[in-house]
Amino acid sequence: QKEVEQNSGPLSVPEGAIASLNCTYSDRGSQSFFWYRQYSGKSPELIMSIYSNGDKEDGRFTAQLNKASQYVSLLIRDSQPSDSATYLCAVPGNDYKLSFGAGTTVTVRA
Amino acid sequence: GAVVSQHPSWVICKSGTSVKIECRSLDFQATTMFWYRQFPKQSLMLMATSNEGSKATYEQGVEKDKFLINHASLTLSTLTVTSAHPEDSSFYICSARKGPFEQYFGPGTRLTVT
């Protein structure tokens, strides 16, 4: 099973600030990387996919991938209270199973 | 989009009875679906991989005779919890694979066994 590690939380940011989430993975051959958001009591929701080195932006979310350093990050700009959730980094294996990080819980303070 | 539904969203059953949970991909076909379980404040735990037209593969420690999985079509997988006991009470979540690797999760089914 591939190892995926996320920076330990919880992370508390004021409304309007940037929340920065980091994730490292062990398998240098990994090609696909995903960020899921999970609200308390709900199921995970796919919010970002990234496959190539560099940045990928989608609204207030930016995913950054650096395959040489084996890390992927997620930036949430202009954080809103509705962004308060647990964010999961996920990397698929050859058998399509996802390896998840432990998750980083983000709290956005109004 | 990629929408996955689950039914029921919650269920209460008596100890010793069986419960069936359905997972459907509504707008795409999924040759592979996954079943997870999540206890409060814990991480997702993969229970099994469900492949259309073939037997499910179970993760270590998951009893295949207790958690019956059927993937009868490209849009439907079912999980049956047989002879449920209070310790089976949990949040059961399915996901469906779209494309090479992306997985989309259903809304989950909260099972309470009394």
Side-chain angles (χ1 to χ4, degrees), chain A:
Chain A
Q1 194 77 346
K2 300 174 188 295
E3 260 192 44
V4 179
E5 294 190 5
Q6 293 184 236
N7 54 322
S8 59
L11 179 65
S12 179
V13 298
E15 186 173 356
I18 295 175
S20 178
L21 310 173
N22 296 318
C23 172
T24 58
Y25 57 94
S26 62
D27 187 343
R28 189 169 287 278
S30 296
Q31 297 294 319
S32 309
F33 307 88
F34 306 109
W35 283 99
Y36 288 86
R37 176 177 63 196
Q38 186 174 23
Y39 292 114
S40 181
K42 303 293 185 183
S43 65
E45 174 191 7
L46 180 62
I47 57 172
M48 286 291 277
S49 310
I50 188 165
Y51 305 96
S52 305
N53 277 331
D55 295 1
K56 178 181 177 183
E57 190 174 309
D58 184 358
R60 295 184 295 108
F61 296 102
T62 299
Q64 300 174 318
L65 175 61
N66 184 322
K67 290 184 179 180
S69 300
Q70 295 177 240
Y71 88 78
V72 57
S73 64
L74 180 70
L75 299 178
I76 308 174
R77 293 186 304 281
D78 187 24
S79 295
Q80 301 297 309
S82 59
D83 296 325
S84 297
T86 296
Y87 290 81
L88 302 166
C89 175
V91 182
N94 293 332
D95 52 7
Y96 305 116
K97 297 178 189 177
L98 289 178
S99 292
F100 288 95
T104 301
T105 299
V106 174
T107 301
V108 180
R109 310 186 303 271

Side-chain angles (χ1 to χ4, degrees), chain B residues 14-80:
Chain B
K14 295 192 174 185
S15 187
T17 62
S18 296
V19 173
K20 179 185 283 189
I21 302 170
E22 290 187 349
C23 176
R24 292 181 186 273
S25 55
L26 298 185
D27 54 359
F28 66 101
Q29 294 183 329
T31 54
T32 310
M33 292 184 173
F34 302 88
W35 287 95
Y36 296 82
R37 182 166 56 178
Q38 188 173 38
F39 293 105
K41 298 197 183 301
Q42 292 189 21
S43 301
L44 288 167
M45 187 191 81
L46 179 65
M47 299 175 66
T49 302
S50 169
N51 294 297
E52 187 267 336
S54 63
K55 290 184 179 180
T57 54
Y58 292 80
E59 296 300 299
Q60 193 170 6
V62 178
E63 300 173 59
K64 63 180 181 181
D65 295 331
K66 180 171 183 61
F67 299 100
L68 301 179
I69 292 172
N70 184 275
H71 195 151
S73 75
L74 289 172
T75 59
L76 173 64
S77 176
T78 60
L79 168 69
T80 301

Side-chain angles (χ1 to χ4, degrees), chain B residues 94-111:
Chain B
C94 72
S95 70
R97 182 170 67 89
K98 179 181 180 184
F101 294 110
E102 291 187 352
Q103 284 187 33
Y104 293 88
F105 286 83
T109 297
R110 203 162 297 282
L111 170 64

